[in-house]
Amino acid sequence: MNKKSKWRYFMDWVNGEEVIETPKKVTWKKIDFEKWKTIFQKYLWNDRKKSIFYLIMCVFVSVVFISILLQTVNTLPYFGGSNNPASNEVVQRYIESGVEETGATNIVAGMILDYRAFDTFGESNVLFLAVICVVMLLKKDKYNTTEAEEREQKEDDMFEKQDANIILKRIANLLIPLLFLFGIYVVLNGHISPGGGFSGGAIIGAGLVLYASVNGQQKIQKFFTYKIFVRINVGCLLTYCVLKGYSFFTGANHLPNIIPKGVPGALLSGGLILPLNICVGMIVACTIYGFYALFTKGEI
């Protein structure tokens, strides 16, 4: 039986003849069960075993950490007890001998930048590492910026240039120098009055954020670029490490101050506390502005 072409079927249909298509022969392939079993054991079963192993390890690690935390909580002294840290000789030492040993009339500044200066160094490192992580995730450059994002960035820049709210800009530009001066005052007087590097740095960082939000980040990048941001953070951390990192190697025993303690209550007093306050303040200010710049524009 000769097989008809498609054209012949079409002509028969046009002429009104009954079109009978030859049914196609269905061939059944033999399923290779061994092949599918090998694939299942090689990929699916192995992944399942890995998942079960990871689940067991997660539960094990969680149970271990929870047990350690519960044991720690169980061994803590009860509130108001005689062996409570709030009632031991450490607090008495801070209050009675703090001014004499640190030269700072602000007991809190003497505690965090002299007695516990190495802990504060760790906190400053945490801030720096947090900014670096955000930089790695959000910083926009030629490698991780799409055309749509570049177009949106240009539109935002045009909007900032066209924004002519003169009253708010003038008032903000009057407040910004006052914020910087007050932040510097809080940092420099942190060892003799309430304040210090953390609070003063937060005020300076707020001034940088206000300047960038009012005048645009292109203006602030004329004097505060990414390189300056990195140099300030790294320089302050290295300075802090050189001045107080030795206490880690000396069993928390402090060496004599390089700078004289001076007269308690004077601006140039407290030994190393004043330069340490300056380092912490600059790190905090850069961290606050860095978060703002990265989350808004993706660049510093």
Side-chain angles (χ1 to χ4, degrees):
M1 182 177 180
N2 294 328
K3 186 178 180 181
K4 292 184 179 181
S5 63
K6 292 183 180 180
W7 175 253
R8 186 62 186 169
Y9 279 117
F10 176 72
M11 292 301 297
D12 290 345
W13 177 76
V14 171
N15 296 328
E17 299 179 6
E18 186 178 358
V19 179
I20 302 175
E21 293 186 8
T22 305
K24 295 181 180 179
K25 186 177 180 181
V26 179
T27 57
W28 295 93
K29 292 183 179 180
K30 186 178 179 182
I31 299 175
D32 192 350
F33 291 101
E34 292 297 328
K35 177 183 176 182
W36 287 105
K37 183 179 178 181
T38 304
I39 293 174
F40 177 79
Q41 290 178 345
K42 185 177 179 180
Y43 297 103
L44 301 179
W45 180 245
N46 278 350
D47 288 344
R48 185 181 177 186
K49 287 195 290 187
K50 288 180 182 177
S51 300
I52 293 173
F53 173 74
Y54 290 149
L55 180 62
I56 293 173
M57 288 303 298
C58 288
V59 173
F60 174 74
V61 172
S62 299
V63 170
V64 170
F65 273 97
I66 291 172
S67 301
I68 293 173
L69 291 174
L70 290 176
Q71 181 63 25
T72 303
V73 172
N74 187 45
T75 56
L76 289 175
Y78 60 90
F79 182 76
S82 58
N83 59 340
N84 197 306
S87 305
N88 61 16
E89 66 278 0
V90 175
V91 177
Q92 183 179 358
R93 175 75 172 270
Y94 290 162
I95 296 174
E96 294 181 355
S97 306
V99 177
E100 179 184 353
E101 293 179 349
T102 65
T105 55
N106 184 355
I107 298 176
V108 177
M111 180 181 67
I112 65 174
L113 292 173
D114 191 279
Y115 292 116
R116 303 181 64 85
F118 193 73
D119 296 343
T120 308
F121 176 57
E123 295 169 6
S124 301
N125 275 285
V126 169
L127 292 176
F128 179 68
L129 290 175
V131 175
I132 292 300
C133 293
V134 176
V135 168
M136 294 171 64
L137 292 173
L138 299 181
K139 193 174 190 318
K140 293 180 181 178
D141 51 23
K142 61 181 180 179
Y143 300 107
N144 62 351
T145 304
T146 61
E147 294 181 0
E149 290 174 339
E150 289 180 357
R151 188 165 56 252
E152 184 180 352
Q153 181 70 32
K154 291 179 181 178
E155 291 175 356
D156 291 343
D157 294 340
M158 289 178 60
F159 177 77
E160 286 181 357
K161 291 179 181 178
Q162 294 174 358
D163 185 18
N165 201 331
I166 303 298
I167 297 176
L168 290 178
K169 284 188 175 182
R170 291 289 177 85
I171 294 175
N173 286 326
L174 287 174
L175 289 176
I176 288 167
L178 299 178
L179 279 174
F180 287 151
L181 286 174
F182 183 58
I184 294 170
Y185 168 81
V186 172
V187 171
L188 296 180
N189 289 271
H191 58 296
I192 58 177
S193 65
F198 286 102
S199 51
I203 297 170
I204 297 173
L208 292 172
V209 171
L210 182 60
Y211 184 89
S213 60
V214 170
N215 300 300
Q217 289 191 357
Q218 291 183 350
K219 267 197 171 182
I220 198 173
Q221 285 176 355
K222 292 180 180 179
F223 64 90
F224 192 77
T225 61
Y226 178 69
K227 288 184 178 179
I228 294 176
F229 167 81
V230 174
R231 287 172 182 172
I232 289 175
N233 276 283
V234 174
C236 290
L237 286 173
L238 289 177
T239 302
Y240 198 118
C241 181
V242 170
L243 294 178
K244 279 296 179 181
Y246 61 81
S247 46
F248 178 78
F249 303 99
T250 58
N253 294 317
H254 292 298
L255 300 177
N257 274 312
I258 304 171
I259 304 174
K261 296 177 184 177
V263 180
L267 180 62
L268 298 177
S269 63
L272 292 173
I273 294 179
L274 179 58
L276 294 180
N277 254 333
I278 295 173
C279 291
V280 173
M282 297 178 72
I283 293 170
V284 173
C286 291
T287 301
I288 291 176
Y289 172 72
F291 281 137
Y292 166 79
L294 291 167
F295 277 104
T296 52
K297 298 290 185 180
E299 57 184 1
I300 300 176

